[in-house]
Amino acid sequence: DERLAQQRTAIEEAHNFEDRAEEAASRKDYAMAVGLLRHADERYAGVTDEFPAEARDAVNGRRAGEV
């Protein structure tokens, strides 16, 4: 249960970084946006394939946010 919670937290944090990156891009702060997307990617990269649904979310998130 604890490992699953950690995986879900990592995905949630990644989503938050992506949201912040979109906001930064809308302000034309592209350097900040790229940095935030890299943080999101790091969070997604930490998600293992132990839990299939979370692993799928992480793979999809990494594909969507490729820098």
Side-chain angles (χ1 to χ4, degrees):
D1 289 340
E2 185 175 325
R3 289 192 313 270
L4 177 58
Q6 290 172 342
Q7 302 289 296
R8 287 181 177 167
T9 298
I11 291 169
E12 183 178 327
E13 289 173 349
H15 288 307
N16 288 336
F17 279 122
E18 288 176 330
D19 291 343
R20 290 174 52 202
E22 286 182 27
E23 291 171 8
S26 72
R27 295 188 311 270
K28 299 189 185 317
D29 189 351
Y30 300 116
M32 175 67 79
V34 169
L36 290 165
L37 288 175
R38 286 190 176 135
H39 286 302
D41 188 63
E42 290 170 4
R43 295 301 187 280
Y44 285 132
V47 176
T48 67
D49 62 354
E50 181 177 5
F51 304 102
E54 286 68 25
R56 193 170 36 255
D57 286 347
V59 167
N60 290 338
R62 290 187 86 182
R63 285 183 183 150
E66 288 181 346
V67 177

